[in-house]
């Protein structure tokens, strides 16, 4: 059986991550408080931001920017979205 966490984003018990997604205190916080569903949604959002804004992960300012947007995303605060993105029609 998979572990569950009370997800900060969705405010309900959901399946948790299999392991901390990054080292240190931040990774442990995410592991304990963010669901797999929320993490996967953030990964998709982060990819769109990187691609649409032509961000370089080599730039420390880019990493700080993405970290801040991640916090806003998980705390249900307004966060930057990729401009011009049109979701595919189903």
């Amino acid at each position: 059986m998979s572990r569950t966490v009370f997800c900060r984003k969705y405010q309900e018990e959901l399946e948790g991550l299999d392991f901390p997604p990054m080292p240190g205190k931040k990774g442990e916080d995410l592991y304990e408080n963010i669901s797999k569903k929320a993490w996967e949604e953030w990964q998709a959002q982060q990819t769109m931001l990187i691609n649409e804004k032509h961000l370089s992960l080599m730039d420390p300012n880019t990493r700080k920017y993405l970290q801040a947007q991640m916090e806003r995303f998980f705390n249900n605060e307004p966060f930057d979205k990729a401009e011009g993105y049109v979701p595919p029609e189903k």
Side-chain angles (χ1 to χ4, degrees):
M1 174 163 169
S2 60
R3 64 186 268 286
T4 61
V5 296
F6 186 78
C7 181
R8 185 184 321 152
K9 178 154 182 71
Y10 292 108
Q11 296 295 301
E12 62 181 291
E13 285 286 327
L14 294 168
E15 182 180 357
L17 297 168
D18 296 327
F19 52 86
M22 59 184 67
K25 218 192 300 191
K26 186 71 201 155
E28 284 300 318
D29 176 53
L30 293 170
Y31 181 72
E32 295 296 329
N33 299 297
I34 298 300
S35 67
K36 191 178 278 190
K37 174 184 173 184
W39 181 254
E40 288 170 358
E41 287 179 12
W42 165 247
Q43 292 291 285
Q45 183 65 38
Q46 176 179 252
T47 300
M48 284 191 288
L49 285 173
I50 292 167
N51 291 340
E52 296 296 322
K53 294 181 177 286
H54 306 287
L55 301 175
S56 169
L57 295 177
M58 298 293 288
D59 181 357
N61 290 327
T62 293
R63 293 193 301 270
K64 286 179 189 172
Y65 166 76
L66 290 172
Q67 183 86 13
Q69 294 309 308
M70 179 180 72
E71 286 299 317
R72 297 177 73 79
F73 178 82
F74 289 138
N75 291 330
N76 293 312
E77 298 170 357
F79 61 94
D80 288 352
K81 296 181 177 69
E83 296 96 20
Y85 173 73
V86 179
E89 291 185 26
K90 294 184 178 183

